[in-house]
Structure formats: structure tokens, C-alpha cells
Amino acid sequence: MSSDLMKSHYPYVVVGGGVAAGYAAKEFVAQGVEKDSVLIVSKEAVAPYERPALSKAFLFADPPARLPGFHTSVGGGGERQAPEWYVEKGIHLLLDTEVSAVDVASKSITTGGGSKISADNLILATGASPVQLTMLPGSDLEGIYTLREYADGLELYDALKANEGKTVAVIGGGYIGMEVGAAAALMGVKVKMIFPEEHMMPRLFTAGIASKYEDVYRKKGIELLNKGRVCKEFVGVDGKVTGVTVCKDDKMETVACDLVVVGVGARPNTSLITDQLEMENGGVKVDSTMQSSVPGVYAVGDISSFGLSMYEGRRTRMEHVAHARASAACAVRSAMSKPQQPYDYLPYFYSRVFDLSWQFFGDSPPVSDKCYTVEIGEMNPQLLCVWVEHDKAVGVFIEAPSAEDTTTARKIATARPTITKEKLESAASVADALSVLSAGL
């Protein structure tokens, strides 16, 4: 949409063009919004898409996934919302446009080009930005990449293809590190993963779970450089990165590489509204309708801090596509004064690497005198881990789940049935353990 066709006022303005914005558009249409009453402003040059694809089939598939194939809302079982969909539905999409200021009191935004747009209802869906490690010497060298947006994905894909047979240093052992590391290996690039933690995915994986995935990575030829190794500097020649200097036990070493991917987390994009709204957990505090401390202003996805009813109202911020989808729909219904239940969310995470695919539902409290974990299976092909707190199963991790297993795991994590350690440990298989847990539903 051309800026000269844009109105100066809309009933609904969505700031941000990621997953949440796409699902907000979907919900607006489902709720019968009038045409020409919604504006979505995005700094990206493409219509909203399913962001998780960027670290998966976008990189390693043959042919690789590309737009328009994964526009929202295909990931959630909806139709593909290509740019023409927005035109057909009468939703204005303003792309390649930075928002330079937000005034929540007047529910107005100012674009980088100086245009001011006001709204009756403002939905903040600004997402998060990757941590860049700009504090490290050499961070401005050519050949250092992050992955968050479609343009990032295109650049990274081209770089990996150009470096087939060469070496990439992947900084980070979490989601992006694991998925990009696996994708790079499948693309024929030698991979060295560098992270300081004791094992992969430390915020979720137990040491037992991690060891099984790490074995797979090593068998695929990926070198794991972790257990205290901290990145100190990027080194290069003629302006191009040639290595990463790491420190462990006060000893410095340089890991040679031809390119670097930094995947060490993301920070919520809240700088434009931090001093205007009540904040918590690094995000915008919202109620059970996703409304902020200012009426008519909503925050969704990565930047929203909300209460989990099933966990006694515990406040949290969740960076996950499932929450982005659900919270966006909730905010739309609230803004349109449609009836709905208070927002609640079952924490859910998933990943696919190589020929592996895992899912997690529920809570993963740290092991203590009140909480323990039980692991069943050896990834041949299944593996199950259950978190039990106060004698209730509160979290379920499963590798290689069937559709029925997924449904069962979700039900268990939601209902939190009572279980004993003896019963779980006596299960002969993953199927047996799920059956034992299901008996308590």
C-alpha cells in the first residue's frame, strides 16, 4: 500500500508485521471487521509470515521454502494470507515502514517518513530483536549473521551455500543455535557450536535429554565447544571474520571459521513505549484481555507480560509462535468488544532438527525437594521426560510424538494428574508411561 493512499485515522492500528500481526488480521476478518478499518504497519518489506520456518525448511529444504509459501496463517491451519488477501479483505498493509514514535495517550504513531496516524485501538505487536553481541571487538566484521527476519534468512542462506565445505561458528546452544547448526550441517557446511552452558537448550532440556541430542549432533560431524567457553572477540582479516576468540578457565583460544551465526537470544522491542505503559518481565504488563495499563492499547506476542491462570496467575512473558497467534486473536476480540474467556495459555515449545522432532507442554520447574523428572526411552525413536511437582505431572517433553501422543501430552500438562515416581519409573515404554499418566485424567 502506498503511503499517499493511507488514511490519518483508523479504528484499529497494529504496530508490527510479524506472526502476531498476521493472526490479528485473520481474527479481524473472522470477527467481521469493516473493510478499510484496520492498518498494519511493518518495517519488513513482506506481508506477515510464519517466522519459525526461517531456521528450518527455509535453509535446508530442497528446494528451500520461500514466500508466498509460508505467509500466515498456514502454520495455524488457516489460509495463506498473501498480499492480495489483505487487499481482498480490506485490511491496509503498510510495509517497509519504520515506526519512529508511539504516543499511547493519543493512540497515535509516527512513521519514519513523518506521517502521523491515530487510532481508536492500538495493538502493539512489535516482537523482539536478536542480541547482536555488538559489545565484542570485531562485531562489525563482514560475515557475522543473525536470524530474525525474512531478509536475514535470505542473506544467511546465500552465505551458507557459498561456504559449503567450509566452517561456520554458531554462537549459542538454544533454539537458533540448534536449528541453524543442524541446517548448516545438512547444507554441507562444517559446524562448530560455541556456548558457555553445560549442555544444549539449558532453559528446558535436562542434562539427560541434552546428552541424547548432543550425541546426534556429534554423529553428524558437529563440534560442540561449550562447558564454560565464552566468546570474547571476533577476529578477521581485511574486514572479514576469520575466527572467534573464546575464553575458558582463563585460557584464550581462537576458533577458526569462515562465517559466524549469532543465536544468543532476543530482546523485546519496547523502547518506544517503555516510559508510557506499566512494564514487567521486560515487557508490557497486560490483563486477561491483552489490554495494557492504558485503555484501548493492547500488547501481544513477545512483548506482552501476562498471567497464567492455570499456574495461579503467575506472570510471565512468552516468546513463542503459539502465544503470538493466540494473544493476537485475544486482543482483537477485546478491541472489537467481542465476548471471550479470559486469556490463558499452556506453555508449548517444539523444534525439528535433522530427522528429529520434539514437543513440550506445560511447566518445567527446576529440580528440588518438591520437583523431580523421570526420563523414559532412548530416542529409538521416542524419548519422554515428565516434570513432577508436588506429586503432579506438570510438564511433558516427547521426542517423535504421534498425533495421538501430542494430544495426550497436552491433556496431561493441562490437567496435571497426580502420579508417583514409582509408577512412572516402572513404565516399560513411552506408550506405557503416557497410558499411566492418562489414567489419572
Side-chain angles (χ1 to χ4, degrees):
M1 173 186 163
S2 172
S3 60
D4 58 355
L5 298 177
M6 183 177 58
K7 300 188 296 183
S8 61
H9 180 85
Y10 288 82
Y12 310 98
V13 170
V14 180
V15 183
V19 171
Y23 281 81
K26 176 177 182 281
E27 190 65 20
F28 273 123
V29 171
Q31 296 296 338
V33 76
E34 291 185 10
K35 288 188 174 183
D36 303 320
S37 62
V38 178
L39 172 68
I40 296 173
V41 185
S42 174
K43 71 172 184 175
E44 291 200 63
V46 295
Y49 56 90
E50 304 285 359
R51 198 177 301 280
L54 293 182
S55 56
K56 301 178 180 68
F58 188 94
L59 295 179
F60 64 76
D62 186 15
R66 292 290 183 270
L67 293 178
F70 58 97
H71 280 299
T72 57
S73 298
V74 294
E79 61 183 310
R80 186 172 62 196
Q81 299 164 204
E84 54 268 24
W85 180 91
Y86 293 86
V87 175
E88 176 190 341
K89 303 301 182 183
I91 293 177
H92 294 195
L93 194 59
L94 187 60
L95 301 177
D96 202 17
T97 301
E98 291 273 1
V99 172
S100 59
V102 175
D103 185 333
V104 299
S106 63
K107 300 185 188 66
S108 65
I109 64 171
T110 303
T111 69
S115 298
K116 188 170 183 178
I117 307 160
S118 62
D120 298 322
N121 296 273
L122 196 60
I123 298 178
L124 304 173
T126 50
S129 295
V131 175
Q132 303 274 2
L133 297 184
T134 53
M135 78 293 292
L136 298 187
S139 61
D140 57 346
L141 288 167
E142 180 186 344
I144 300 175
Y145 299 86
T146 56
L147 180 60
R148 184 71 184 184
E149 299 180 351
Y150 191 76
D152 299 333
L154 292 173
E155 289 183 2
L156 179 57
Y157 176 83
D158 289 344
L160 291 171
K161 290 293 286 184
N163 283 278
E164 185 175 351
K166 298 181 181 180
T167 300
V168 58
V170 177
I171 314 300
Y175 265 108
I176 293 297
M178 287 187 69
E179 293 186 352
V180 170
L186 289 170
M187 294 175 71
V189 182
K190 299 174 184 176
V191 180
K192 297 180 180 181
M193 292 181 62
I194 304 170
F195 51 99
E197 294 86 1
E198 286 297 303
H199 58 73
M200 288 177 162
M201 199 72 75
R203 292 200 297 175
L204 176 62
F205 285 6
T206 65
I209 294 173
S211 67
K212 293 177 174 61
Y213 287 90
E214 288 173 355
D215 285 346
V216 171
Y217 275 63
R218 291 188 181 98
K219 288 175 182 176
K220 297 290 185 180
I222 295 175
E223 187 176 357
L224 304 181
L225 304 172
N226 60 317
K227 299 182 184 296
R229 287 183 172 88
V230 177
C231 295
K232 291 294 186 179
E233 181 181 7
F234 298 109
V235 297
V237 174
D238 297 329
K240 188 179 186 311
V241 71
T242 58
V244 182
T245 299
V246 301
C247 180
K248 180 180 179 180
D249 299 329
D250 295 324
K251 295 181 180 178
M252 308 289 277
E253 64 174 315
T254 297
V255 179
C257 62
D258 299 283
L259 70 159
V260 173
V261 180
V262 177
V264 293
R267 295 191 178 99
N269 295 322
T270 59
S271 61
L272 295 179
I273 42 86
T274 299
D275 58 350
Q276 302 181 65
L277 296 171
E278 188 173 350
M279 310 292 287
E280 70 175 9
N281 297 323
V284 178
K285 185 177 182 179
V286 297
D287 63 15
S288 61
T289 70
M290 293 293 123
Q291 186 168 241
S292 72
S293 55
V294 173
V297 178
Y298 303 84
V300 300
D302 295 346
I303 69 167
S304 62
S305 177
F306 60 100
L308 292 166
S309 298
M310 65 176 59
Y311 299 119
E312 292 71 51
R314 186 178 77 205
R315 308 288 299 182
T316 190
R317 193 174 60 79
M318 196 72 63
E319 294 178 9
H320 195 268
V321 64
H323 167 61
R325 294 167 179 165
S327 62
C330 176
V332 168
R333 291 190 294 269
S334 180
M336 294 183 69
S337 300
K338 301 291 184 178
Q340 65 175 325
Q341 294 297 314
Y343 187 75
D344 201 10
Y345 179 75
L346 176 67
Y348 166 62
F349 301 99
Y350 74 95
S351 184
R352 292 186 294 272
V353 294
F354 299 118
D355 57 351
L356 305 174
S357 176
W358 61 260
Q359 296 178 335
F360 172 82
F361 296 94
D363 202 13
S364 57
V367 172
S368 66
D369 58 345
K370 299 289 195 296
C371 176
Y372 61 86
T373 60
V374 174
E375 294 170 23
I376 299 159
E378 295 296 329
M379 292 213 338
N380 54 349
Q382 290 194 307
L383 171 69
L384 180 74
C385 183
V386 181
W387 278 256
V388 180
E389 186 175 39
H390 298 295
D391 300 320
K392 293 183 178 295
V394 298
V396 181
F397 173 98
I398 184 167
E399 165 63 37
S402 65
E404 182 180 355
D405 292 337
T406 294
T407 300
T408 300
R410 183 183 287 110
K411 287 180 178 178
I412 292 167
T414 301
R416 289 172 287 173
T418 299
I419 191 70
T420 66
K421 191 173 186 179
E422 291 72 25
K423 277 189 177 181
L424 265 182
E425 290 182 334
S426 66
S429 64
V430 169
D432 189 20
L434 291 175
S435 179
V436 168
L437 288 161
S438 297
L441 298 178

